[in-house]
Amino acid sequence: MTITITAFERSPDGGQGLARDTRVRWALEEAGQPYDVRLVSFAAMKEPEHLARHPFGQIPTYEEGDLALFETGAIVFHIAQRHGGLLPGDANAQARALSWMFAAVNTIEPPILDLTIARIHERDKPWAEARLPLVKDRIRERLKQLSARLGEADWLDGAFSAGDLMMVSVLLRLRASGLLDEYANLAAYVARGEARPAYKRAFAAQLAINAPDRARS
Ligand code: GTB
């Protein structure tokens, strides 16, 4: 059955792979599943046709036959359950991978999003500059804990899993801030994720849409 995902017609990041379709593409590449992409404009995302797929008018979405999904955590988990390559065989290890997926979107991603909000959406507020150190320290607190747990390991719990895919995808957004580089093992962890052939294919696919000139060179 054909899998179709949605992605930005033009991502604001110009192809840096930061929009969340990249993590879905990555999961599909790890699972060896071909997929089609329906590109949507910001205006089209708020139209009834897209809202039927995504109640919040966002990307990415996932369609397969009569199944339509939204939320990247749910989409990646669905792909991981249906196909090999993203979850361990042991039931307890699977449950732990799910914990890491939730940790990525529920514990690590919120303070990172707060930094985007502070830097971009609230930058004109009179208190924006004063708030920034607090926002960064909240991120540091989580990174310190995550760094301690990862230690010298390659991945969070044994072999690479959907938990790592989600965590690396979330941490990637921090690179420009410099915060990731304060934790050498986390920076190396993210680089390890990016070095995976499946990630490279996912990145190249979104780059071909968002910066076709760079993708060709
Ligand atoms: N919780 C949802 C999920 O995980 O699926 C969040 C989905 C989401 O935030 N989607 C964003 C969206 O559709 C795109 S990824 N935004 C449009 C809207 O809400 O109207 C967020 C994103 C966008 C752009 C960049 N960038 O350019 O750097 C990075 C991340």
Side-chain angles (χ1 to χ4, degrees):
M1 221 173 295
T2 306
I3 294 170
T4 304
I5 67 166
T6 51
F8 283 135
E9 190 176 65
R10 186 156 305 199
S11 178
D13 71 0
Q16 289 177 59
L18 300 178
R20 285 179 177 84
D21 57 292
T22 305
R23 55 183 80 165
V24 173
R25 293 171 185 271
W26 184 8
L28 287 165
E29 292 288 351
E30 292 283 355
Q33 295 303 306
Y35 60 97
D36 290 342
V37 184
R38 186 185 303 115
L39 299 177
V40 286
S41 67
F42 276 90
M45 277 189 275
K46 310 304 173 197
E47 294 291 333
E49 190 196 337
H50 189 75
L51 287 170
R53 288 181 210 112
H54 197 308
F56 309 117
Q58 296 184 311
I59 60 96
T61 57
Y62 175 101
E63 290 154 84
E64 186 182 12
D66 56 9
L67 175 68
L69 296 175
F70 59 96
E71 283 297 331
T72 51
I75 296 170
V76 170
F77 186 57
H78 169 77
I79 295 166
Q81 273 192 315
R82 287 279 167 99
H83 309 284
L86 282 163
L87 283 177
D90 173 71
N92 285 354
Q94 267 190 31
R96 291 197 302 274
L98 187 58
S99 291
W100 283 117
M101 292 183 71
F102 272 95
V105 293
N106 215 24
T107 300
I108 304 292
E109 194 164 45
I112 294 175
L113 290 182
D114 207 19
L115 183 60
T116 306
I117 292 168
R119 281 225 165 111
I120 298 173
H121 305 281
E122 296 176 349
R123 68 165 178 257
D124 296 335
K125 305 286 181 205
W127 36 260
E129 218 30 57
R131 189 169 172 268
L132 220 43
L134 293 175
V135 174
K136 287 185 175 177
D137 280 348
R138 271 188 220 118
I139 296 173
R140 286 192 180 97
E141 195 183 324
R142 291 301 181 216
L143 294 185
K144 189 174 159 200
Q145 293 165 322
L146 187 64
S147 167
R149 172 54 79 99
L150 179 66
E152 297 303 311
D154 280 355
W155 307 113
L156 287 166
D157 189 349
F160 174 83
S161 78
D164 295 297
L165 186 150
M166 291 300 290
M167 192 63 81
V168 167
S169 300
V170 162
L171 293 174
L172 266 169
R173 269 184 97 164
L174 274 181
R175 180 168 285 128
S177 72
L179 289 173
L180 193 58
D181 292 327
E182 293 179 18
Y183 303 86
N185 65 339
L186 292 184
Y189 171 64
V190 169
R192 213 171 287 126
E194 290 174 302
R196 292 180 70 82
Y199 177 82
K200 288 185 179 171
R201 290 194 295 273
F203 184 89
Q206 63 77 37
L207 186 66
I209 290 165
N210 292 300
D213 296 344
R214 275 177 54 213
R216 269 196 298 276
S217 61

